Amino acid sequence: MSNTGEHRLALSESGDAWVTAADGAQYWGKYGAAGVLAYDPSRGFLLQHRSPRTAAGNTWGIPGGARHRSENSLTAALREVAEECGIAPQSLTPLYAHRVNKGGWHYTTIIALADSTAEATPLDWESLDFRWIPKHELPDYPLHPNFAQALPHLLPLFESRHAIVVDAANVIGAMPNGWWRDRGKATADFIAQLTATLPAGVPPELCGISGLSAPGMHRCYPRWIVVTEGAANSAVEVAAENTPATAQHTQIAQAAGSGDDELVHQVQALISENYTVTVCTSDRELKSRVTSIGARTQGAKTLWQHIATAAQEKPAAQ
């Protein structure tokens, strides 16, 4: 491709443009915009002091910017954070995506936990400073108007965490694709398909979250635990090699004996850590065991439907 062709492609991919939304106001981002509200329990919330040259300058908000055409919300938000303040994706654990839709334009806030390696430094003209601010001090700062309006809906999202535990044997067995010929390969293929969907997140309904309980909730990024057993345990090393950097909270639990017993053990451990747990299985006996200790369940076909939908979805929907 010529340099001119590459330049045209870059321009068509870029979302850097102003858009007039249904409310008549102008917003930055041809394909919408996304940012990250990061929280470190020991330091507080990471806020950006915006340059006077930006829209609503001299206010405090979150690092973020225009999405590109082929990016989903998480990918765009993590890119913007790295570009604006140097925080690597591996330092952040995304929990949820909250979306404000203005009609023809939307802003997606990624709710994320930050670890101690997340250090922010202004890297471009858009930022005067970055600061970790305790929750009780947030009212003392002049916040970006749109961020201030969304904040009451964002803060409660840090109070809950979701996990999905997958009964791999049952889920794989629900798909008549010849899995019985090589259980290990079938497990590796399933984990690879699941892993590919992780940056897109899951619809809140898959985690049992309703729009009424969490207004504006767009996506959930749960902690995933896939329980394998028997011959399928050989898939663990293969799956681990294909796990992307954005899937920090995914693990594979190998059952030394009964897969059901290992799954129940994993559920008990998560509930003790205050996770809200969903178990993906169609096994009636296992469903009864996990619901009796406080988990909810989704059938194997529901998970396969999610994987198929995520593979076909356009990034803008994510």
Side-chain angles (χ1 to χ4, degrees), residues 24-150:
Q26 285 197 317
Y27 300 96
W28 182 248
K30 183 178 179 180
Y31 307 107
V36 175
L37 178 58
Y39 176 68
D40 179 347
S42 65
R43 294 182 287 178
F45 296 92
L46 179 65
L47 294 192
Q48 171 198 47
H49 190 189
R50 299 169 59 83
S51 164
R53 292 187 287 164
T54 64
N58 270 330
T59 60
W60 291 79
I62 59 174
R67 290 173 52 169
H68 297 326
R69 184 174 61 176
S70 62
E71 291 181 318
N72 59 44
S73 299
L74 180 60
T75 302
L78 294 178
R79 173 185 55 77
E80 285 286 339
V81 169
E83 291 176 355
E84 293 187 1
C85 64
I87 293 180
Q90 293 84 350
S91 297
L92 300 170
T93 298
L95 303 178
Y96 307 103
H98 177 275
R99 177 168 288 184
V100 174
N101 197 325
K102 297 291 187 178
W105 184 89
H106 52 73
Y107 191 94
T108 306
T109 302
I110 300 299
I111 303 299
L113 296 177
D115 65 26
S116 60
T117 67
E119 295 293 343
T121 302
L123 296 180
D124 61 25
W125 62 270
E126 298 178 43
S127 308
L128 296 178
D129 189 18
F130 285 93
R131 192 174 298 176
W132 295 94
I133 302 173
K135 181 179 179 179
H136 69 273
E137 293 183 13
L138 291 175
D140 299 335
Y141 287 77
L143 302 179
H144 185 289
N146 292 337
F147 175 58
Q149 188 174 14

Side-chain angles (χ1 to χ4, degrees), residues 41-306:
S42 65
R43 294 182 287 178
F45 296 92
L46 179 65
L47 294 192
Q48 171 198 47
H49 190 189
R50 299 169 59 83
S51 164
R53 292 187 287 164
T54 64
N58 270 330
T59 60
W60 291 79
I62 59 174
R67 290 173 52 169
H68 297 326
R69 184 174 61 176
S70 62
E71 291 181 318
N72 59 44
S73 299
L74 180 60
T75 302
L78 294 178
R79 173 185 55 77
E80 285 286 339
V81 169
E83 291 176 355
E84 293 187 1
C85 64
I87 293 180
Q90 293 84 350
S91 297
L92 300 170
T93 298
L95 303 178
Y96 307 103
H98 177 275
R99 177 168 288 184
V100 174
N101 197 325
K102 297 291 187 178
W105 184 89
H106 52 73
Y107 191 94
T108 306
T109 302
I110 300 299
I111 303 299
L113 296 177
D115 65 26
S116 60
T117 67
E119 295 293 343
T121 302
L123 296 180
D124 61 25
W125 62 270
E126 298 178 43
S127 308
L128 296 178
D129 189 18
F130 285 93
R131 192 174 298 176
W132 295 94
I133 302 173
K135 181 179 179 179
H136 69 273
E137 293 183 13
L138 291 175
D140 299 335
Y141 287 77
L143 302 179
H144 185 289
N146 292 337
F147 175 58
Q149 188 174 14
L151 194 58
H153 299 292
L154 303 177
L155 292 179
L157 299 181
F158 287 96
E159 298 172 5
S160 64
R161 297 191 65 179
H162 287 260
I164 297 180
V165 184
V166 181
D167 177 5
N170 183 269
V171 171
I172 293 167
M175 182 65 69
N177 57 4
W179 59 266
W180 51 88
R181 299 189 191 97
D182 188 337
R183 187 178 292 255
K185 182 180 183 302
T187 303
D189 290 345
F190 163 71
I191 293 172
Q193 291 179 70
L194 177 64
T195 298
T197 72
L198 297 179
V202 303
E205 296 78 15
L206 192 62
C207 292
I209 305 171
S210 71
L212 293 176
S213 63
M217 173 75 76
H218 178 62
R219 293 277 164 160
C220 181
Y221 304 98
R223 177 177 173 182
W224 287 89
I225 298 180
V226 179
V227 178
T228 64
E229 62 182 352
N233 284 340
S234 63
V236 172
E237 290 75 16
V238 176
E241 292 175 359
N242 294 315
T243 301
T246 53
Q248 297 107 323
H249 41 295
T250 302
Q251 69 185 79
I252 301 167
Q254 293 175 282
S258 165
D260 287 4
D261 289 347
E262 176 62 27
L263 189 145
V264 171
H265 169 72
Q266 294 291 335
V267 170
Q268 289 173 326
L270 289 166
I271 290 176
S272 71
E273 297 175 29
N274 296 318
Y275 279 89
T276 298
V277 182
T278 298
V279 174
C280 287
T281 185
S282 294
D283 185 305
R284 291 184 179 180
E285 182 179 347
L286 184 56
K287 282 185 173 184
S288 177
R289 290 179 67 183
V290 297
T291 54
S292 70
I293 59 175
R296 58 184 300 277
T297 63
Q298 290 278 11
K301 290 185 178 179
T302 299
L303 180 55
W304 279 115
Q305 289 168 356
H306 162 66

